Amino acid sequence: MIQPNIPESGLPRVVIVGGGFGGINLAKKLKNAPVQVVMLDRNNYHLFQPLLYQVSTAGLETDSIAFPLRGIFKHQKNFIFRMAEVTGVRPNENILETGIGELKYDYLVLATGSTTNFFGNKVIEEHAIGMKSLIEAVQIRNYVIKQFEESLLLNDEEQIRAKLTFIMVGGGPTGVELAGAFAELRKYIMPKDYPELPVDLMKIYLIEGSPRILNGMSENSSQRSLESLEKLGVTVLCNTVVKEYDGRTLLLSNGEKLISQSLLWAAGVKGVPVTGISSNIVLPNGRIQVNEFNQVQGHNNIFAIGDIAQMVNDPKFPKGYPMVAQVAIQQGANLAGNILKMRKAASTLNLKPFKYNDLGSMATIGRNHAVAEFAGMKLSGYFAWMVWMIVHLMSLLGFRNKLVVFSNWFYRYFTFDRGTRIIIKRGAANIVKLRQTVQ
Amino acid sequence: MIQPNIPESGLPRVVIVGGGFGGINLAKKLKNAPVQVVMLDRNNYHLFQPLLYQVSTAGLETDSIAFPLRGIFKHQKNFIFRMAEVTGVRPNENILETGIGELKYDYLVLATGSTTNFFGNKVIEEHAIGMKSLIEAVQIRNYVIKQFEESLLLNDEEQIRAKLTFIMVGGGPTGVELAGAFAELRKYIMPKDYPELPVDLMKIYLIEGSPRILNGMSENSSQRSLESLEKLGVTVLCNTVVKEYDGRTLLLSNGEKLISQSLLWAAGVKGVPVTGISSNIVLPNGRIQVNEFNQVQGHNNIFAIGDIAQMVNDPKFPKGYPMVAQVAIQQGANLAGNILKMRKAASTLNLKPFKYNDLGSMATIGRNHAVAEFAGMKLSGYFAWMVWMIVHLMSLLGFRNKLVVFSNWFYRYFTFDRGTRIIIKRGAANIVKLRQTVQ
């Protein structure tokens, strides 16, 4: 019989669901606490999502942005990891239901992150490509290279254009960085790898619903990134929403039609709440309402942190904090302190409310081009790009990953090449099979 | 309609099927020749197979041992690549049938390599794991880590032992290197990642049919590698053949039974001939009989090189040359010269027969341990290990791959860690599903 096999330590058990930025920071901060920390994740690694777009555009290898969770905590004695899917919670009994059996908890922390949000549009969901997991990033990379390989086999220009038109939806950092990376593929890789295909057959669109891209940053940064993208040949459409998409024809809110076989969806994320948490406290975007201590409403010993948690305690963020790594990291740290306080005082008095320290934000558009805002400064261009690289490199977990990512970037900077443009596939002849279903 | 879309250049067309060691060396040597070189491969990359076993044991990332074929030939003007599966050949019409349409050739070179050989045992084939492709290596890595994760969920020692017993079949370099890598996983990674699992629950077997492992090398090298493996805790069984395996119980020729859920098959490879080549000239091991010019018997303008070709023109190799990279590389170079001669003389007279220059062989057993034989020298231990690393690093295509592989090795040497022990999977809860089918 399968069972979690987690020994009773005599200490209260903190079960953390999810090994993302929030979960691992919380677990780390509980290192010397008199608790047993149990982390569950469906994967056995922490994924550095901010660089996922570089995997999907053949700039980095998959394994260089993933770090084994067991490796992070190998010196932490009160830490136990199990690879498991959580299926539900029974709050009255303090029991978590998982694919490997039931687990008793004293404190439960939901740090499950978010998934791609198609805002209920099932047809778009079926045909668009999301980008939240490592396997999705690899699939995008495979798919993109296949579009080029298959274009060589066609003579009809319209069919080729449909294959070589790439549409990103969502003008946040992910959409902007993705569009920039595609523009660099066109500029540096396409002429070398596919000299038979005229470069102007490839088109890149970035579609944003609001009046400007990177609308979480200043107007100045928006403007500069818009200019950089347009200079790289990206068509940016603001105030525009995708109405319909059938895998080939895209209808925009302005009535315009685009033909493309590749719609990359970076227009939003949503939480995935756990069965057993009352739907009354779950918002339409899947986030769970928590108080200023990250406590899930109505439950003293259940918490939610990061993307899955909706906390409204700052007038600057009336709809809750942004779904970014920094919020998750800081909420994890704050919650660790509060769990320690609860252990000492055996009550929920004197807990420290969460206060968000906005460290700034940034986005890279391409070689030597980025925008960054932090500590009251607004940077753009080469210096912002250097800052972007250093911050991301330092934030990556593990010396090996830093070394491999740095090696790739270093190589790319001087050669204008992208090393990992390979298609890893299961079947043998599936390039032909795929084409037959697509046509 | 899909078609190969390869323009007529007015020059004779050399079609090379396969981008392995033989195919790429042939294409490179034809760089300045007055021919059109067309390469077809089902993948868009060249795979450095000698390091595949390090991917499957979490020592290297997948992408670091693969190099995009278009990248290799980006400066070669007479080279055209198409990603395609070859389905047959019609020699009388000089036509190659492929998944992307038909292709006319003047010279056809089959350089399709080899696949795992289960010697007709369908039951073993169904349950054993081969290791010839990148996706197989990733699947092995995923599978091995899963065995550990799942062992934590069991209480029955016998069930755990079945999961943690890894059996390699075949005592050639692949089997030896794989067994050594598994032994290092047990020695350096298991105690850190899975302190709950006693190390002696993990068992590693290497099974070889002949009287000694590495029987292509000297008795001295065999003996030293045997000692190194046994010192690392690998049980080596020579003169032993696998009779039956049902996915759990393994029956050996000596009557012994082993219980294991992981049988890794490195006991042999075979060629996969193309439909349209007469079966009279195809041997039971799938190799195509060629003459000393690599000409396929009965066809003036069809050639086979590397693993797929069986050439018997050297009394030292009465059953044909070994299926190793060096033979393929040298046959590719020799054939390039002969194709040039044929162009000049418009006949098959004066062709240069192939002569194998055995550069030696080597195998690494683990950290600081290898055996190497070349230029009349027999090395073992630390120095052989350094030679092994340098030769493999230099043979890797591309500066980026060299850099990333070196980074990984450098990191591993000083930390005793293996960085890429992550499970990349498709579904979400498949760890549980898999277990339910396995039990």
Side-chain angles (χ1 to χ4, degrees):
Chain A
M1 219 198 83
I2 315 164
Q3 47 194 53
N5 273 353
I6 293 167
E8 295 285 344
S9 64
L11 294 170
R13 179 182 289 165
V14 181
V15 176
I16 304 170
V17 185
F21 287 108
I24 58 170
N25 202 38
L26 168 60
K28 276 183 186 170
K29 300 283 181 198
L30 291 174
K31 183 171 183 175
N32 298 311
V35 293
Q36 182 188 50
V37 179
V38 176
M39 180 177 284
L40 305 177
D41 197 295
R42 63 173 65 159
N43 291 312
N44 73 332
Y45 54 86
H46 168 73
L47 177 65
F48 192 76
Q49 292 202 8
L51 289 179
L52 207 50
Y53 82 96
Q54 295 210 359
V55 171
S56 60
T57 51
L60 287 176
E61 29 259 287
T62 47
D63 308 356
S64 64
I65 62 162
F67 196 87
L69 286 165
R70 293 191 181 281
I72 302 172
F73 295 102
K74 65 185 169 198
H75 298 303
Q76 187 163 335
K77 293 224 158 60
N78 69 347
F79 178 88
I80 290 175
F81 174 74
R82 289 292 180 271
M83 196 165 144
E85 188 87 5
V86 168
T87 52
V89 58
R90 299 203 298 270
N92 295 337
E93 301 166 64
N94 288 342
I95 281 193
L96 189 67
E97 300 162 355
T98 81
I100 59 170
E102 297 190 343
L103 192 61
K104 205 141 171 83
Y105 61 80
D106 295 290
Y107 302 94
L108 174 64
V109 183
L110 303 172
T112 48
S114 56
T115 184
T116 308
N117 191 356
F118 293 98
F119 304 103
N121 192 323
K122 290 281 167 203
V123 185
I124 291 181
E125 182 168 354
E126 192 186 328
H127 295 104
I129 311 168
M131 200 184 59
K132 286 293 284 179
S133 69
L134 208 47
I135 192 77
E136 276 176 327
V138 176
Q139 283 168 342
I140 293 175
R141 185 180 78 182
N142 288 348
Y143 184 79
V144 169
I145 304 171
K146 269 185 188 166
Q147 302 311 303
F148 283 93
E149 293 292 334
E150 292 172 8
S151 293
L152 293 171
L153 312 175
L154 299 171
N155 293 308
D156 182 74
E157 197 182 299
E158 209 179 309
Q159 285 188 333
I160 297 176
R161 283 189 187 278
K163 283 198 176 294
L164 299 184
T165 297
F166 298 93
I167 300 176
M168 329 291 141
V169 184
T174 304
V176 166
E177 294 184 332
L178 206 47
F182 269 93
E184 294 210 315
L185 277 182
R186 176 171 58 188
K187 191 168 172 186
Y188 301 117
I189 301 301
M190 192 178 168
K192 276 192 292 190
D193 270 11
Y194 304 95
E196 298 117 303
L197 296 171
V199 171
D200 66 0
L201 287 179
M202 180 175 174
K203 291 264 182 276
I204 302 147
Y205 289 87
L206 177 62
I207 294 171
E208 164 61 31
S210 81
R212 60 188 179 90
I213 58 171
L214 295 180
N215 61 25
M217 297 179 80
S218 68
E219 290 210 20
N220 187 40
S221 294
S222 286
Q223 189 56 34
R224 283 180 179 274
S225 47
L226 178 68
E227 284 160 14
S228 297
L229 282 174
E230 287 182 337
K231 208 171 156 189
L232 276 168
V234 177
T235 307
V236 181
L237 304 173
C238 289
N239 290 312
T240 309
V241 169
V242 175
K243 286 289 187 195
E244 287 168 31
Y245 181 61
D246 63 1
R248 190 175 168 90
T249 306
L250 183 87
L251 178 65
L252 295 174
S253 53
N254 61 11
E256 201 182 333
K257 273 186 186 171
L258 299 174
I259 308 295
S260 165
Q261 291 182 200
S262 310
L263 186 71
L264 286 93
W265 194 263
V269 289
K270 63 176 180 184
V272 184
V274 178
T275 312
I277 299 291
S278 163
S279 58
N280 296 334
I281 55 167
V282 177
L283 295 158
N285 64 1
R287 292 181 104 176
I288 300 168
Q289 290 180 328
V290 297
N291 67 13
E292 59 195 341
F293 311 116
N294 283 100
Q295 257 168 335
V296 172
Q297 280 190 20
H299 303 284
N300 269 333
N301 63 342
I302 304 183
F303 303 84
I305 60 175
D307 286 7
I308 186 73
Q310 173 101 343
M311 186 195 292
V312 185
N313 71 334
D314 184 336
K316 268 196 286 178
F317 302 101
K319 289 176 177 175
Y321 293 104
M323 288 152 103
V324 296
Q326 271 305 320
V327 172
I329 291 168
Q330 294 177 26
Q331 287 184 341
N334 189 63
L335 179 55
N338 282 339
I339 286 176
L340 287 177
K341 281 189 184 172
M342 281 188 269
R343 288 312 305 150
K344 279 184 193 145
S347 86
T348 55
L349 294 170
N350 291 319
L351 296 189
K352 190 180 158 201
F354 175 68
K355 198 171 170 307
Y356 181 41
N357 176 19
D358 192 346
L359 294 177
S361 57
M362 48 183 129
T364 188
I365 293 106
R367 199 181 176 75
N368 300 340
H369 284 282
V371 288
E373 295 179 3
F374 56 93
M377 291 190 290
K378 288 182 181 54
L379 303 174
S380 69
Y382 182 75
F383 187 64
W385 184 71
M386 289 297 291
V387 170
W388 182 93
M389 285 212 297
I390 291 164
V391 167
H392 281 77
L393 212 48
M394 299 313 295
S395 311
L396 262 177
L397 279 174
F399 176 66
R400 191 196 69 90
N401 290 14
K402 288 186 176 72
L403 201 63
V404 169
V405 169
F406 179 75
S407 298
N408 274 289
W409 287 353
F410 178 85
Y411 169 80
R412 216 157 84 199
Y413 190 74
F414 290 102
T415 62
F416 295 84
D417 196 12
R418 285 180 177 247
T420 65
R421 51 195 196 282
I422 66 169
I423 303 179
I424 303 182
K425 56 181 180 173
R426 256 140 222 268
N430 54 10
I431 185 172
V432 177
K433 279 187 217 134
L434 181 83
R435 289 207 67 266
Q436 282 160 353
T437 57
V438 163
Q439 289 287 303
Chain B
M1 219 197 81
I2 315 164
Q3 46 193 54
N5 274 351
I6 293 167
E8 294 285 344
S9 64
L11 294 170
R13 180 182 289 165
V14 182
V15 176
I16 303 170
V17 185
F21 287 108
I24 59 171
N25 202 39
L26 168 61
K28 276 183 185 171
K29 300 284 182 197
L30 291 173
K31 183 170 183 176
N32 298 311
V35 293
Q36 183 188 50
V37 179
V38 176
M39 180 178 284
L40 305 177
D41 197 295
R42 64 173 64 159
N43 292 312
N44 73 333
Y45 54 85
H46 168 72
L47 178 65
F48 192 74
Q49 291 202 9
L51 289 179
L52 207 50
Y53 82 96
Q54 295 211 358
V55 171
S56 60
T57 51
L60 288 176
E61 28 260 286
T62 47
D63 309 357
S64 64
I65 61 162
F67 196 89
L69 287 164
R70 294 192 180 280
I72 302 172
F73 296 102
K74 65 186 171 198
H75 298 304
Q76 187 164 334
K77 292 223 160 62
N78 69 345
F79 178 88
I80 291 175
F81 174 75
R82 289 291 179 271
M83 196 166 142
E85 189 87 5
V86 169
T87 51
V89 57
R90 298 204 297 272
N92 295 336
E93 302 167 63
N94 288 341
I95 280 190
L96 190 68
E97 300 163 354
T98 82
I100 61 170
E102 298 189 342
L103 192 61
K104 210 148 165 72
Y105 62 80
D106 295 290
Y107 303 94
L108 174 63
V109 183
L110 302 172
T112 48
S114 56
T115 184
T116 307
N117 191 355
F118 293 98
F119 303 102
N121 192 323
K122 290 281 169 204
V123 185
I124 292 181
E125 182 167 354
E126 193 186 325
H127 295 104
I129 312 167
M131 200 184 59
K132 285 293 286 179
S133 70
L134 209 47
I135 192 77
E136 276 176 327
V138 176
Q139 284 168 343
I140 292 176
R141 186 180 78 183
N142 288 349
Y143 183 78
V144 169
I145 304 171
K146 268 185 191 168
Q147 302 312 303
F148 283 94
E149 292 293 334
E150 292 172 8
S151 292
L152 293 172
L153 313 176
L154 298 171
N155 293 309
D156 182 74
E157 198 183 295
E158 208 178 311
Q159 285 189 333
I160 297 175
R161 283 189 187 276
K163 283 198 176 294
L164 298 185
T165 298
F166 298 93
I167 300 176
M168 329 292 142
V169 183
T174 304
V176 167
E177 295 184 331
L178 206 48
F182 269 93
E184 295 211 315
L185 277 182
R186 177 172 57 188
K187 190 169 172 184
Y188 301 118
I189 302 301
M190 192 177 167
K192 276 193 292 191
D193 270 12
Y194 304 95
E196 298 117 304
L197 297 171
V199 170
D200 66 1
L201 287 179
M202 180 174 175
K203 292 262 181 279
I204 302 147
Y205 289 87
L206 177 62
I207 294 170
E208 164 61 30
S210 81
R212 60 189 178 92
I213 58 171
L214 296 180
N215 61 25
M217 297 180 79
S218 68
E219 290 210 19
N220 187 42
S221 294
S222 285
Q223 189 55 33
R224 283 181 179 272
S225 47
L226 178 68
E227 284 160 14
S228 297
L229 282 174
E230 288 183 338
K231 208 171 155 190
L232 276 168
V234 177
T235 307
V236 180
L237 303 174
C238 289
N239 290 312
T240 308
V241 169
V242 176
K243 285 289 185 195
E244 288 168 29
Y245 181 61
D246 62 1
R248 189 174 167 91
T249 306
L250 182 85
L251 178 65
L252 295 175
S253 53
N254 60 11
E256 202 181 332
K257 273 186 185 171
L258 299 174
I259 307 296
S260 165
Q261 290 182 198
S262 310
L263 185 71
L264 286 92
W265 193 263
V269 289
K270 63 176 180 184
V272 184
V274 177
T275 312
I277 299 292
S278 163
S279 57
N280 296 333
I281 55 166
V282 176
L283 294 158
N285 64 1
R287 293 181 103 177
I288 301 168
Q289 290 180 326
V290 297
N291 66 13
E292 58 195 341
F293 311 116
N294 283 100
Q295 257 169 334
V296 173
Q297 280 191 21
H299 303 284
N300 269 333
N301 63 341
I302 304 182
F303 303 83
I305 60 174
D307 286 6
I308 186 74
Q310 174 101 345
M311 185 195 293
V312 184
N313 72 332
D314 184 335
K316 267 195 287 179
F317 302 102
K319 291 175 175 176
Y321 293 104
M323 289 152 101
V324 296
Q326 271 305 321
V327 172
I329 291 168
Q330 294 177 27
Q331 288 185 341
N334 190 64
L335 179 55
N338 282 339
I339 286 175
L340 287 177
K341 282 188 182 173
M342 281 187 271
R343 287 313 304 150
K344 280 186 191 143
S347 86
T348 55
L349 294 170
N350 291 320
L351 297 188
K352 190 180 159 202
F354 174 68
K355 198 170 170 309
Y356 181 40
N357 175 19
D358 192 346
L359 294 177
S361 58
M362 47 184 133
T364 189
I365 292 108
R367 197 180 177 76
N368 300 341
H369 284 282
V371 288
E373 295 178 4
F374 56 93
M377 289 191 289
K378 289 181 179 56
L379 303 174
S380 69
Y382 182 74
F383 187 63
W385 183 71
M386 288 297 291
V387 169
W388 182 94
M389 285 211 298
I390 292 164
V391 167
H392 281 78
L393 212 48
M394 298 314 293
S395 311
L396 262 176
L397 280 174
F399 177 67
R400 190 197 69 89
N401 290 14
K402 288 186 176 71
L403 201 63
V404 169
V405 169
F406 179 76
S407 298
N408 274 289
W409 287 353
F410 179 85
Y411 169 79
R412 217 158 81 199
Y413 190 75
F414 290 102
T415 63
F416 295 83
D417 197 13
R418 285 181 176 245
T420 65
R421 51 193 196 284
I422 66 169
I423 303 179
I424 304 182
K425 56 181 181 176
R426 257 142 220 266
N430 53 11
I431 185 171
V432 177
K433 278 186 218 134
L434 180 82
R435 289 206 70 264
Q436 281 159 353
T437 58
V438 163
Q439 291 285 303

